[in-house]
Amino acid sequence: MTLAGLNILVTRPQGQAEKLLAGINAVGGHGIHYPVLEINALDTVEDAASYQRCKQLIMNLDQYQHIIFISTNAVSFGMDWINQYWPQLPVAIQWYGIGSSTVAGLLAAGCQ
């Protein structure tokens, strides 16, 4: 595959585009990084209502049968939350990840 002569806009967040940009450049393209979103943890003060809702959902984790993570960011932030309130993962939950990197993150976090 060649991307020679093509300019490709990469919109991944800051710090998460380097591998993709290197791949684009390696096959002749010109990767342009323009992050369009920023991923941050919930702020306990500014996002107090969302923070409490998220905390309640995590506290009820053992009531779920299936949990789906859609990105490595979801694994990182989600497992941080889960580990705060669940020193041992609840049993009988099916863990899913969309994409091989997301699955790898779940496996590294101890999810089967």
Side-chain angles (χ1 to χ4, degrees):
M1 173 198 279
T2 181
L3 298 176
L6 296 178
N7 293 314
I8 299 165
L9 185 63
V10 176
T11 61
R12 289 186 175 176
Q14 195 69 35
Q16 297 183 8
E18 289 74 17
K19 186 176 177 182
L20 180 56
L21 289 166
I24 291 167
N25 294 333
V27 293
H30 177 245
I32 303 161
H33 188 213
Y34 185 80
V36 296
L37 61 104
E38 186 176 321
I39 298 175
N40 295 308
L42 287 173
D43 185 288
T44 58
V45 175
E46 290 183 28
D47 302 314
S50 294
Y51 186 91
Q52 288 304 317
R53 176 74 176 132
C54 189
K55 179 180 175 180
Q56 190 59 51
L57 291 169
I58 296 297
M59 296 292 287
N60 295 334
L61 194 66
D62 59 339
Q63 297 178 25
Y64 296 92
Q65 296 173 326
H66 304 273
I67 299 176
I68 302 169
F69 290 82
I70 61 167
S71 69
T72 55
N73 290 313
V75 172
S76 177
F77 285 99
M79 293 311 296
D80 283 350
W81 271 90
I82 291 168
N83 290 331
Q84 282 182 41
Y85 300 102
W86 292 91
Q88 181 176 338
L89 293 175
V91 296
I93 293 178
Q94 297 294 312
W95 303 86
Y96 303 91
I98 306 300
S100 59
S101 295
T102 304
V103 170
L106 284 172
L107 292 173
C111 301
Q112 297 297 316

